[in-house]
Amino acid sequence: MFIQQAYKGDNAAWKVIITTILTLAIFIANIFYVLFGDIDTEQMMDKVSNTIDNTNFLFFLNLSPFVFLLLLLFGLVVYLHERSLVSLTTARNKIDLKRVAFSFGLVFIVGIASFMVEYYLYPGMVVFNFKPMSFIVLVCISLLLFPFQIGFEEYLFRGYFMQQIGVVVKNRWFPLIATSVMFGLMHLANPEVAEMGGITMIFYIGTGLFLGIITLMDDGLELALGFHFANNFLAATLVTADYSALQTDSLFKYASQESDVSFYQILIPIMIVYPILLLVFAKKYKWRNWKEKLAGRVPSIEETTVEVYTE
């Protein structure tokens, strides 16, 4: 049902190409610049930090372009593709904000619990970094701008691309894999990739795969939006590192300036945390028929009448 929502709009190839180019151009250029340009990511970050000595202002500058990008994507979907934002979000008759809230709350609790366990096992790994006024401003910026940042990524990859690729190839497994890889590649220019190596791409692609699975199983973006918001909010406000893409005055900071993240630390969320979250979501929302939902065929527009459903 979710992928078939694309049939509610005009999917002319030239419109898809224009939307893709306009929404991805800045990221593709950034990746090429990092991969083929003669630059040092760490030196570039240090230069920016020295030029702009206010972490909250720098954080604001990093997130603010996503306001334009999300509004651009929405405008292209509504006016170019002539379809509603509800159809881009969910197969239900309206966006289920309770699902967003439940996912956010669950991931927030799991994230805090995971950090407490890590802090107990490795107490010297992080240091307390609380700066009251700066932290309050950080929280406000996060609550204001993260919805645009995570909204753009989810609506573009799990929404627009998932649906457009699905109605072309007429199956579900290929758009699931393709959008997960695309999501990972979009983070290729992140400084932590340069610091920790290609191993981090396992995490990004694995996370994209997890978000794609819950989108297809639930026939909507709501759970993915809640997860992504909670994850990024905690990454910015709870604990950060000098090599992270998010340079903030968080509550805690990793003591070492060098990354010593192991292969197993990358695998823990993918192999343990994400499956647990899947089980919780599946139990709560009574997911069934996993094989068909994740790998089944997508009927053509002539074979089906696209409808919405309620729960």
Side-chain angles (χ1 to χ4, degrees):
M1 287 295 293
F2 177 71
I3 289 179
Q4 290 166 259
Q5 297 302 302
Y7 291 139
K8 292 182 175 181
D10 184 348
N11 300 311
W14 69 271
K15 294 186 177 184
V16 176
I17 292 172
I18 287 178
T19 302
T20 301
I21 291 175
L22 291 178
T23 53
L24 282 184
I26 186 173
F27 301 101
I28 295 174
N30 195 31
I31 291 173
F32 271 88
Y33 183 63
V34 170
L35 290 178
F36 303 108
D38 186 19
I39 62 170
D40 186 306
T41 304
E42 186 174 350
Q43 289 182 359
M44 183 175 64
M45 288 180 61
D46 290 339
K47 184 177 180 180
V48 172
S49 298
N50 292 332
T51 304
I52 303 176
D53 195 28
N54 187 306
T55 54
N56 280 329
F57 183 59
L58 182 59
F59 182 58
F60 175 85
L61 291 179
N62 285 334
L63 291 184
S64 56
F66 289 99
V67 177
F68 166 75
L69 288 171
L70 181 60
L71 294 178
L72 173 64
L73 176 61
F74 282 175
L76 290 168
V77 168
V78 172
Y79 297 106
L80 187 64
H81 288 277
E82 300 176 2
R83 53 183 293 208
S84 71
L85 296 182
V86 173
S87 71
L88 185 66
T89 308
T90 182
R92 285 167 277 276
N93 66 338
K94 63 179 180 180
I95 299 172
D96 189 346
L97 295 180
K98 289 183 179 180
R99 273 176 156 81
V100 179
F102 176 79
S103 180
F104 178 93
L106 176 63
V107 175
F108 188 87
I109 292 171
V110 170
I112 294 292
S114 299
F115 174 77
M116 291 175 64
V117 171
E118 188 177 47
Y119 184 79
Y120 176 78
L121 293 176
Y122 310 101
M125 189 169 61
V126 297
V127 294
F128 194 54
N129 187 53
F130 183 50
K131 302 173 183 177
M133 289 305 300
S134 183
F135 181 75
I136 292 173
V137 174
L138 169 63
V139 169
C140 292
I141 295 174
S142 299
L143 293 175
L144 177 66
L145 293 183
F146 266 139
F148 292 96
Q149 185 255 327
I150 65 99
F152 174 73
E153 293 185 5
E154 290 308 313
Y155 275 103
L156 183 64
F157 291 100
R158 256 69 62 181
Y160 184 78
F161 287 143
M162 180 83 78
Q163 292 175 340
Q164 292 297 333
I165 295 173
V167 297
V168 171
V169 300
K170 298 296 187 294
N171 65 54
R172 302 170 192 271
W173 67 266
F174 185 80
L176 173 60
I177 300 299
T179 56
S180 301
V181 173
M182 291 167 65
F183 179 73
L185 291 177
M186 194 188 77
H187 294 83
L188 191 61
N190 282 17
E192 56 262 33
V193 177
E195 178 66 31
M196 294 183 283
I199 187 177
T200 54
M201 296 307 295
I202 297 175
F203 173 76
Y204 285 124
I205 294 175
T207 299
L209 184 63
F210 167 77
L211 292 169
I213 289 173
I214 63 177
T215 296
L216 289 178
M217 289 304 303
D218 200 53
D219 274 320
L221 288 176
E222 293 96 335
L223 297 181
L225 288 167
F227 172 95
H228 206 156
F229 190 9
N231 180 79
N232 285 23
F233 181 80
L234 287 176
T237 61
L238 182 60
V239 58
T240 189
D242 288 336
Y243 52 83
S244 172
L246 298 176
Q247 295 293 311
T248 64
D249 288 327
S250 55
L251 283 176
F252 295 89
K253 196 169 188 177
Y254 283 104
S256 174
Q257 293 186 356
E258 300 295 330
S259 169
D260 56 357
V261 176
S262 70
F263 182 72
Y264 298 103
Q265 286 174 295
I266 292 290
L267 285 184
I268 284 175
I270 297 173
M271 303 300 293
I272 299 177
V273 178
Y274 292 174
I276 291 175
L277 292 176
L278 277 177
L279 289 175
V280 174
F281 288 141
K283 179 70 174 178
K284 179 173 177 60
Y285 297 111
K286 299 179 176 59
W287 291 348
R288 300 289 186 272
N289 201 9
W290 288 66
K291 183 178 179 180
E292 177 63 25
K293 285 276 192 176
L294 300 180
R297 178 173 171 271
V298 175
S300 66
I301 191 171
E302 293 82 13
E303 296 175 298
T304 183
T305 300
V306 182
E307 297 177 349
V308 296
Y309 66 85
T310 58
E311 293 187 348

